[in-house]
Amino acid sequence: MSGQQWKNVSLACVFVLLTFEAYSLPLSTNGRWIVEATTGQRVKLICVNWPGHMQAMVAEGLHLKPLDDIAAMVVKLRFNCVRLTYSIHMFTRYANLTVKQSFENFDLKEAIVGIAQNNPTILNMKVVEAYEAVVDSLGAHGVMVVSDNHISQPRWCCSNDDGNGFFGDRYFNSQEWLQGLSLATQSLKTKPQVWFIYLLYFH
Ligand SMILES: *[C@@H]1O[C@H](CO)[C@@H](O)[C@H](O)[C@H]1NC(C)=O
């Protein structure tokens, strides 16, 4: 590459970094772009994945570090967004299960001790409240959230034969899916940092 090309590349990098820095909520759309509702300025979502759709239905790692520390780490790593996954059944079937009960169901004794140390307020929350607490902490750190209904059953996603994939599959009930999306919306709609993904199966 010529010197001029390198210069263009480095300018592009600076531009990208600046673009990533600041944004104001709420966001909106303009054609294919995500924009600030008030100014129309484009906003780019730089999301890191944070799984919350596994069996225990609790965002992973809360037994290892305080929630606020994890949110701060997301910012430090220069992400402005988290794609936070959940399972539909967390809302439709297990909403009233506490984090502690959910861990007990899988005999996760060390995780219970860890969460009691690192995130004591979360231990006795219901799993849906814990999901909201993660969203709130990320919001307090200026991090946007793409709330992703990753799978119907709380479990590892995905394989071609897990029965969660599409209409007519054993564990994909479209009525329950819609109910779960509706409950998720009710739970999170007042939080301006949240974007929803309403997809079937987000491979
Ligand atoms: C949770 O409890 C409330 C209040 O008792 C009830 O209305 C709701 O249906 C329960 N949700 C689930 C998913 O069991």
Side-chain angles (χ1 to χ4, degrees), residues 91-96 126:
F91 284 101
T92 59
R93 301 188 186 187
Y94 306 115
N96 293 327
K126 296 174 180 178

Side-chain angles (χ1 to χ4, degrees), residues 145-162:
V145 173
V146 173
S147 180
D148 170 10
N149 70 112
H150 203 56
I151 188 163
S152 296
Q153 297 173 302
R155 60 178 287 180
W156 171 254
C157 174
C158 313
S159 61
N160 289 332
D161 59 357
D162 63 18

Side-chain angles (χ1 to χ4, degrees), residues 43-62:
V43 175
K44 293 185 181 179
L45 274 63
I46 314 299
C47 305
V48 62
N49 195 57
W50 192 353
H53 67 280
M54 296 288 281
Q55 281 85 341
M57 299 173 282
V58 180
E60 308 229 328
L62 293 176

